[in-house]
Amino acid sequence: MAESAGNEKTKWTTTIIISSTLKSCEVATALENRSHKVRYSDSVENGSIIFSRTGVAFLLMDAKECFMSTEEIFLAKIEKFINIHQNSFLVLSAALHGPEEWKLMFKIQQRFLGSNLRILPVHNTVNAINLMCTIAKITSKPYIDSICYRMITTKAYIIEQSPVWKTLQKIKLSSDSFNPN
């Protein structure tokens, strides 16, 4: 990784494993153009992009292709993908997310409710690349450590400054003074 948590201007790069089926795809070219180390593999699920250092995996699917195939085929592909990858995202691409695309996403959500799958609706390559890189970046070290630290600090600050918390502490203190035990 080329960047530290405190230096936001340095370019973030990582190693990405991409399905060989995406070799001539615009998404793969765009990732290569961002100076990431791209490796193509025949052994990963068709349409998958894996950010190896973070363990985040994305399955690219076009909504039109889902409509043209049978429901069993694309659901089986998604199921195989999420069984392999613990931190998985379905990147569902459509130029316009109309009623049919939302029905498709709802169907997928219903089928995989309670699983580790998250669905990212995207409109174009730039949108997909930005989302994937942002998610991969914030789940990598040292970013995740920085985010966790900020969340803990924020939680502590909220608790310390909360009038409700102060009232609860006063009630507890006054009830402890009356407690004979």
Side-chain angles (χ1 to χ4, degrees):
M1 191 163 0
E3 175 177 355
S4 68
N7 187 359
E8 297 298 324
K9 292 189 187 334
T10 307
K11 193 170 195 162
W12 178 79
T13 60
T14 190
T15 302
I16 304 170
I17 300 165
I18 300 179
S19 166
S20 295
T21 58
L22 296 175
K23 201 167 199 164
S24 59
C25 183
E26 195 178 344
V27 171
T29 306
L31 286 168
E32 287 176 337
N33 290 341
R34 287 193 174 197
S35 303
H36 294 292
K37 295 174 189 160
V38 174
R39 306 284 181 257
Y40 293 97
S41 174
D42 293 323
S43 62
V44 297
E45 183 67 33
N46 289 350
S48 61
I49 297 175
I50 304 154
F51 287 76
S52 58
R53 288 189 182 155
T54 63
V56 178
F58 299 90
L59 179 61
L60 300 181
M61 292 183 85
D62 189 274
K64 282 187 275 184
E65 290 174 16
C66 291
F67 295 135
M68 290 189 292
S69 72
T70 66
E71 188 175 313
E72 294 81 28
I73 290 173
F74 73 80
L75 290 178
K77 181 177 183 172
I78 296 168
E79 183 156 9
K80 181 180 177 187
F81 180 76
I82 66 172
N83 286 336
I84 295 170
H85 302 285
Q86 201 171 359
N87 199 0
S88 56
F89 293 85
L90 171 63
V91 180
L92 191 62
S93 179
L96 174 70
H97 292 283
E100 292 302 311
E101 288 79 10
W102 288 111
K103 284 180 194 173
L104 174 65
M105 280 188 271
F106 181 69
K107 190 178 292 186
I108 294 168
Q109 283 179 323
Q110 277 187 313
R111 169 63 181 83
F112 297 103
L113 190 65
S115 74
N116 56 340
L117 179 71
R118 275 114 23 206
I119 301 172
L120 301 173
V122 298
H123 299 287
N124 55 44
T125 300
V126 172
N127 192 215
I129 295 296
N130 287 339
L131 279 170
M132 289 189 295
C133 288
T134 299
I135 290 168
K137 181 178 178 179
I138 64 169
T139 57
S140 68
K141 285 202 172 269
Y143 294 95
I144 193 73
D145 295 337
S146 175
I147 291 168
C148 287
Y149 174 76
R150 288 181 198 168
M151 289 176 70
I152 290 167
T153 306
T154 303
K155 180 181 170 186
Y157 177 78
I158 291 168
I159 289 172
E160 286 175 13
Q161 302 304 315
S162 167
V164 173
W165 184 255
K166 288 178 183 177
T167 304
L168 287 172
Q169 284 180 317
K170 286 178 186 176
I171 291 171
K172 185 178 185 270
L173 290 174
S174 61
S175 68
D176 284 345
S177 60
F178 295 116
N179 190 349
N181 295 336

